[in-house]
């Protein structure tokens, strides 16, 4: 096959050889630019963005962990007054959550269920409840659609 190609090239005139050479160089240049350079630089840029987002998530998680590991000051924890079910409903409404279920589960506990919640907002809400003396004894979080989660949990007053 290479012999046929070499014979064909040798049969060309000088001007045709120059034009075929220029065409070959231009073709190689196009393949190098559009087949190698652009895909590599695009891929590298995308990976940089993904890496930066991962670093931002890591910093946010580390900050939340550090905040969670700090012992809350006694003055920061406020005792909730009234039925726990009412307190949880009120805090959920204030946070913009729609509780599907909020039922008393005995011994100062309340069972809740939410169909949709943003994970970050949910964790912030639970942390706020914890500062008020309401802790999650049991929680089940399932992935939902469009970056949301569904939640079912049992909440209780801190000392119980």
């Amino acid at each position: 096959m290479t012999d046929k190609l070499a014979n064909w090239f040798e049969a060309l005139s000088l001007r045709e050889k120059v034009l075929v050479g220029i065409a070959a160089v231009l073709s190689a240049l196009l393949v190098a630019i559009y087949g190698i350079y652009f895909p590599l630089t695009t891929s590298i840029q995308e990976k940089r963005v993904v890496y930066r987002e991962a670093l931002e998530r890591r910093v946010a998680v580390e900050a939340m962990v550090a905040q969670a590991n700090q012992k809350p000051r006694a003055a920061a924890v406020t005792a909730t007054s009234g039925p726990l079910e009412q307190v949880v409903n009120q805090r959920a409404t204030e946070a913009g959550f729609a509780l599907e279920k909020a039922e008393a589960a005995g011994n100062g506990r309340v069972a809740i269920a939410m169909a949709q919640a943003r994970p970050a907002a949910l964790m912030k809400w639970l942390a706020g409840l914890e500062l008020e003396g309401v802790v999650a004894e049991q929680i089940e979080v399932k992935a939902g659609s469009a970056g949301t989660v569904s939640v079912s949990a049992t909440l209780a007053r801190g000392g119980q």
Side-chain angles (χ1 to χ4, degrees), residues 116-138:
Q116 287 186 332
R118 294 276 178 202
L122 174 68
M123 293 302 130
K124 185 176 179 181
W125 178 65
L126 289 173
L129 283 176
E130 188 174 340
L131 287 176
E132 294 184 23
V134 179
V135 295
E137 285 187 336
Q138 175 271 333

Side-chain angles (χ1 to χ4, degrees), residues 72-150:
R73 288 179 247 136
V77 177
T78 60
T80 57
S81 60
L84 184 58
E85 180 181 348
Q86 180 182 359
V87 171
V88 170
N89 269 323
Q90 180 182 356
R91 297 301 182 260
T93 304
E94 290 171 358
F97 293 119
L99 293 179
E100 287 185 337
K101 174 179 94 167
E103 300 173 348
N107 281 345
R109 290 171 172 73
V110 63
I112 64 164
M114 271 187 251
Q116 287 186 332
R118 294 276 178 202
L122 174 68
M123 293 302 130
K124 185 176 179 181
W125 178 65
L126 289 173
L129 283 176
E130 188 174 340
L131 287 176
E132 294 184 23
V134 179
V135 295
E137 285 187 336
Q138 175 271 333
I139 187 165
E140 183 179 341
V141 180
K142 294 181 181 175
S145 61
T148 62
V149 293
S150 63

Side-chain angles (χ1 to χ4, degrees), residues 2-148:
T2 56
D3 292 336
K4 287 183 181 181
L5 189 60
N7 290 337
W8 170 79
F9 189 74
E10 289 299 323
L12 297 176
S13 68
L14 179 60
R15 185 171 77 180
E16 291 172 335
K17 287 180 183 179
V18 169
L19 290 174
V20 168
I22 291 172
V25 168
L26 289 176
S27 297
L29 188 61
L30 287 174
V31 167
I33 291 173
Y34 291 106
I36 298 171
Y37 178 75
F38 283 158
L40 281 178
T41 56
T42 301
S43 177
I44 289 170
Q45 184 63 26
E46 289 172 356
K47 295 302 177 190
R48 283 183 181 158
V49 169
V50 169
Y51 179 70
R52 189 175 308 119
E53 290 171 353
L55 281 178
E56 290 171 0
R57 281 193 308 270
R58 179 180 176 184
V59 168
V61 167
E62 286 175 350
M64 285 190 279
V65 167
Q67 183 181 10
N69 286 337
Q70 291 178 350
K71 300 229 184 244
R73 288 179 247 136
V77 177
T78 60
T80 57
S81 60
L84 184 58
E85 180 181 348
Q86 180 182 359
V87 171
V88 170
N89 269 323
Q90 180 182 356
R91 297 301 182 260
T93 304
E94 290 171 358
F97 293 119
L99 293 179
E100 287 185 337
K101 174 179 94 167
E103 300 173 348
N107 281 345
R109 290 171 172 73
V110 63
I112 64 164
M114 271 187 251
Q116 287 186 332
R118 294 276 178 202
L122 174 68
M123 293 302 130
K124 185 176 179 181
W125 178 65
L126 289 173
L129 283 176
E130 188 174 340
L131 287 176
E132 294 184 23
V134 179
V135 295
E137 285 187 336
Q138 175 271 333
I139 187 165
E140 183 179 341
V141 180
K142 294 181 181 175
S145 61
T148 62

